[in-house]
Amino acid sequence: MKPSNEDLLLGIDIGTQGVKGAIVSLDGKVLAEAFLEHSCQYPRIGWVEHDIERNWWLNPSWVIQKMLLENEINPQQIRAVFPSGLHPNFGPTDEEGNPIYGAILYSDNRAIRELDEINQKYHLKLTSEEMIPKLVWFIRHEPESASRMKKFFDAAQYFVYRLCGEYVTDTISVGGWGAIYHSPSCSWKEDVCEELGIDPAILPRVVAPLTVVGEVQNKAAIETGLAKGTLVIAGTNDVTASTISGGATKTSEAIAYYGTAGLLPVMKVDMDFALRYPYPYEEKGERPQDGYLYDYPAYCLTTGDSLRWFRDEFGYEQRLIEAQNGISAYAQFDQLAESAPETCDGLIFIPHMLGQRSPRFNPYASGAFIGLRRSHTRSHLFRSLLEAWGYTIRYGLECYYPQGHPLKRLIATGGGARSKIWRQIVTDITGIPQEYAPNAEGSIADAYLAGMAVGYFENFDILLRQWLSPGEMIYPRMEKIAIYDKGYQQFVRVHQILEPLFNPN
């Protein structure tokens, strides 16, 4: 496609806690941004769901309308839209894409028996992160709904379907499903599907993330405000968008993602290759995620979510000030955290409020404050939440890479990375310098990927030179490392002591 000075690109990032959109010019100028917060549902302990229609369609549509109307942008200027979203999830629908059940999210732990069965039968090391155990659970435990299921979606792919009617998934995201997909050949394992009771007819077409899959249809144009005929790109997961938004595009580079979930995804092939071709290695069960683009040495489901929980349950005063004066409740809590000492006078927070993902998978783990004393205040409690993410990263890296981690560059991204004190705490605990990318938004990366998909950009050169702001470097402070080393050793000991207590057997 021949570029014009008036051409614009749209990125939409559907997250666990909200939707973020960005409309960007070809030279990287952000002309419009919008965000809408949404919530999860928790029907039972260990269950986590999204409302498919509201969270994955109505909310993104509202964000797009808001950007177009408030910034007086002509939708005809938008040449392509690229979505990313939380992943992996199981969102079942009927033939027409109407939801028949809540979307079972990546953080849901209901399918533990199915998970154990699949791991034992196929000699894999899946966790309850992967989607296929949830699909098998649904078929077995919700047979009436399952009989009406003709499709199932992740967040970004549902948005694509509602825009243009194409039922697809992408070659990066599907690598995180587990068991039924052969990555090198980009094909389904029909024998495994048959053994698990999965009808191959309900499986989506698998395409590369940069594939143009269709155009915005008339009904979607009315509901989103986009122009009919706008190109729709296949999209991918939010981990990939966040990684690119920080400027990490090589195997030696990684992000520390300060999001609802906190994770440190380590790429196993360069990003440019992964966006265009199937992942070249198959799942063999030799280690977790061995058929997927990323390793997850550090992963916590409730890194940012624990902060939101704290804000909602103990931050009435801060939320009131935010409503009256516009000062973020999280910024106010950061100020409180500044007043608490390193290691919080012995207070340790175990952050596994929805189960543990790393360095060992334990869906029965839970959150805990250890060492709580009468002298502790909200400042100590909140700071301990921040420190837990640093301890989690260090613990994960040391367990996953006992001979030393391969990282040459670590970039802090995600909404929580805006917190200067949090970035410094994590850097001091891990001893790894972090680069902070101030405009590292998944929605902006999505807009750039829309441009790559339609031929405006050949690679990431323009992204790195024009679109992304220079990063701020955060270095570990030598005088703090020894202090935090004691806190870290305590964090590890507490994990080891609590581990058998979390096991229901």
Side-chain angles (χ1 to χ4, degrees), residues 76-93:
Q76 296 287 347
Q77 293 180 255
I78 297 176
R79 300 308 182 204
V81 54
F82 186 106
S84 61
L86 64 156
H87 156 85
N89 315 285
F90 171 69
T93 75

Side-chain angles (χ1 to χ4, degrees), residues 98-139:
N98 300 305
I100 58 175
Y101 200 84
I104 303 175
L105 299 195
Y106 62 92
S107 49
D108 186 284
N109 289 314
R110 75 186 69 185
I112 299 301
R113 290 184 179 178
E114 289 73 18
L115 170 68
D116 291 342
E117 174 190 331
I118 292 170
N119 279 341
Q120 291 177 17
K121 187 171 186 177
Y122 300 106
H123 308 289
L124 300 176
K125 293 183 179 179
L126 307 183
T127 72
S128 52
E129 175 84 4
E130 281 81 5
M131 189 273 294
I132 293 305
K134 299 177 177 68
L135 169 57
V136 175
W137 178 93
F138 184 72
I139 292 170

Side-chain angles (χ1 to χ4, degrees), residues 310 314-315 317-318 333 336 376-382:
F310 193 88
F314 307 109
E317 175 187 349
Q318 284 73 22
F333 277 123
L336 289 177
H376 284 129
T377 66
R378 279 194 307 175
S379 301
H380 294 83
L381 291 168
F382 188 76

Side-chain angles (χ1 to χ4, degrees), residues 311-332:
R311 179 201 69 178
D312 292 348
E313 300 301 328
F314 307 109
Y316 174 78
E317 175 187 349
Q318 284 73 22
R319 287 186 285 122
L320 185 62
I321 293 173
E322 179 176 358
Q324 293 175 341
N325 302 327
I327 303 173
S328 163
Y330 296 116
Q332 298 174 60

Side-chain angles (χ1 to χ4, degrees), residues 211-267:
T211 304
V212 178
V213 295
E215 299 178 351
V216 173
Q217 298 178 346
N218 187 61
K219 187 174 186 293
I222 294 171
E223 295 180 358
T224 63
L226 292 170
K228 181 182 178 182
T230 302
L231 297 179
V232 180
I233 318 303
T236 190
N237 58 67
D238 55 357
V239 174
T240 298
S242 295
T243 299
I244 294 169
S245 75
T249 61
K250 303 294 183 182
T251 55
S252 59
E253 302 169 339
I255 62 167
Y257 183 62
Y258 296 63
T260 301
L263 66 159
L264 197 155
V266 179
M267 287 181 288

